[in-house]
């Protein structure tokens, strides 16, 4: 499994991690087995959120006894992101996750609480050792400018944003901004949240072609494309252990420049537009 530096977190993190949104809708034993299988295969970056309901408890169970192996990320819901609300939300997440610290804590999306308040809470949590780094999610380039003005340069570890083959809007402004400011880009919903390109489409056939050349699956090629360069990470969610194993298998795939160009042409990024989110 490939890893790379995670922004200001000052440590390397697996480029392919594991999401947990709606993981509580699956059979609980299967969800836990999938997360553990993923960790065993190197997908040690685990993403969750207070917003995902029971998911944090499931993650807590899955990582019991192997906390030190994972890079654990959770998020505060914007409605809770006042200074005291953020601290309280983090405490609740730590309890559900059965741990004393998060590796990274994110503001889930920008809400009405001033960024300075949320970031002051992040600084307080960091000083207390409850979080080791912090970041944002669903921040467009203008939001990132505001965030950096509020926090100072070098504080924001990552920006978690929607990124998959059929949704490449981040490449216009957000990804270049993050690259320039050493902010990790964690792409979410890499399979389009269950809208993966069908094999019968022209683009789907190109994906299948490249997959065949690597003895890989189309989803593995998609994941490899989504982490093709710095500072990209991706967090597919799988509640089926076989899906988790397939996703981890992408961690050592390397696409050639020609393959990347072919995929980029098959799934064009479209015109610059506001950052989309799910
Ligand atoms: P996704 O990862 O694009 O797709 C998940 C779906 O793909 C599930 O139905 C899963 O099935 C299926 N799947 C996974 N691996 C597969 C495989 N190898 N073969 C076939 N099917 C496979 O969607 P997502 O959950 O929306 O996004 C991933 C994560 O990003 C989330 O879980 C969450 O942690 C994060 N996220 C963050 C935000 C944000 O605002 N920050 C928003 C959305 C998502 P099974 O479950 O049956 O295995």
């Amino acid at each position: 499994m490939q890893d790379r530096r995670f922004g200001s977190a000052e440590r390397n993190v697996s480029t392919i991690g594991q999401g947990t949104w709606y993981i509580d809708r699956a059979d609980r034993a299967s969800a836990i087995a999938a997360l553990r299988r993923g960790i065993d295969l190197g997908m040690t970056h685990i993403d969750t959120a207070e917003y995902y309901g029971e998911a944090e408890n499931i993650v807590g169970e899955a990582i019991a006894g192997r906390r030190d192996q994972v890079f654990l990320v959770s998020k505060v819901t914007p409605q809770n992101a006042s200074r005291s609300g953020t601290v309280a939300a983090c405490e609740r997440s730590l309890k559900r996750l059965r741990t004393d610290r998060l590796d990274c804590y994110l503001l889930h999306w920008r809400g009405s609480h001033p960024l300075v308040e949320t970031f002051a809470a992040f600084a307080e949590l960091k000083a207390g050792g409850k979080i080791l780094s912090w970041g944002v999610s669903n921040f467009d380039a203008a939001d990132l400018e505001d965030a950096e003005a509020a926090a100072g340069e070098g504080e924001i570890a990552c920006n978690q944003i929607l990124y998959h083959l059929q949704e490449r809007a981040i490449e216009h402004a957000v990804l270049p901004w993050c690259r320039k400011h050493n902010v990790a880009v964690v792409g979410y919903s890499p399979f389009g949240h269950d809208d993966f390109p069908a094999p019968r489409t022209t683009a789907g056939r190109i994906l299948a072609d490249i997959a065949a050349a690597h003895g890989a699956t189309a989803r593995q090629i998609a994941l490899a494309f989504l982490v093709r360069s710095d500072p990209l990470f991706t967090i597919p969610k799988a509640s089926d252990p076989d899906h988790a194993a397939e996703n981890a298998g992408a961690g050592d795939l390397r696409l050639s420049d020609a393959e990347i160009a072919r995929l980029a042409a098959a799934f064009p990024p479209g015109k610059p537009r506001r950052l989309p989110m799910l």
Side-chain angles (χ1 to χ4, degrees):
M1 172 65 63
Q2 191 191 5
D3 59 23
R4 60 172 55 116
R5 186 73 170 260
F6 195 82
S8 60
E10 292 189 0
R11 64 173 274 193
N12 280 18
V13 174
S14 64
T15 53
I16 302 176
Q18 306 191 74
T20 62
W21 191 24
Y22 291 130
I23 205 162
D24 51 337
R25 293 204 177 165
D27 171 74
R28 193 178 179 99
S30 172
I32 290 170
L35 287 167
R36 289 187 178 156
R37 181 107 173 257
I39 294 168
D40 289 342
L41 296 172
M43 293 194 297
T44 49
H45 172 183
I46 312 267
D47 178 73
T48 189
E50 61 169 338
Y51 186 71
Y52 301 162
E54 184 59 15
E56 284 187 319
N57 282 313
I58 291 173
V59 171
E61 212 172 316
I63 64 170
R66 49 176 91 186
R67 171 68 186 89
D68 290 345
Q69 279 174 260
V70 306
F71 185 85
L72 185 58
V73 180
S74 192
K75 316 184 195 78
V76 58
T77 303
Q79 289 84 338
N80 293 336
S82 65
R83 177 153 185 176
S84 61
T86 300
V87 173
C90 183
E91 301 281 3
R92 291 194 299 270
S93 286
L94 291 174
K95 203 173 231 173
R96 285 190 288 267
L97 289 161
R98 306 182 196 179
T99 184
D100 59 354
R101 70 200 185 279
L102 295 172
D103 293 288
C104 197
Y105 196 36
L106 313 184
L107 174 59
H108 208 145
W109 62 91
R110 192 172 183 178
S112 56
H113 289 291
L115 293 178
V116 283
E117 272 198 43
T118 311
F119 295 172
F122 285 163
E124 181 184 330
L125 288 164
K126 200 172 160 187
K130 302 244 167 88
I131 67 174
L132 304 184
S133 66
W134 62 264
V136 294
S137 177
N138 296 301
F139 270 42
D140 214 332
D143 300 312
L144 288 163
E145 288 290 346
D146 292 348
E148 197 175 69
E153 175 116 33
E155 286 298 319
I156 306 164
C158 70
N159 186 20
Q160 187 180 120
I161 40 187
L162 179 65
Y163 189 44
H164 57 82
L165 285 174
Q166 302 178 96
E167 184 45 87
R168 296 175 55 206
I170 67 163
E171 292 181 28
H172 295 294
V174 182
L175 177 58
W177 193 98
C178 291
R179 193 170 272 142
K180 185 167 166 212
H181 295 257
N182 186 34
V183 170
V185 170
V186 180
Y188 69 68
S189 303
F191 301 140
H193 192 71
D194 254 348
D195 182 19
F196 194 70
R200 64 182 178 281
T201 59
T202 308
R205 274 197 291 274
I206 289 170
L207 203 50
D209 244 26
I210 296 173
H214 284 267
T217 67
R219 284 175 193 265
Q220 288 175 327
I221 297 301
L223 294 176
F225 178 82
L226 297 173
V227 297
R228 64 195 178 282
S229 62
D230 259 355
L232 291 167
F233 296 80
T234 190
I235 44 169
K237 170 260 183 181
S239 48
D240 175 331
D242 290 340
H243 289 168
E246 179 180 343
N247 299 343
D252 294 316
L253 274 178
R254 296 289 175 279
L255 300 175
S256 68
D257 290 346
E259 288 167 334
I260 289 171
R262 223 179 139 203
L263 286 167
F267 297 95
K271 291 203 172 84
R273 57 197 175 280
R274 279 188 60 187
L275 184 70
M277 69 178 274
L278 287 190

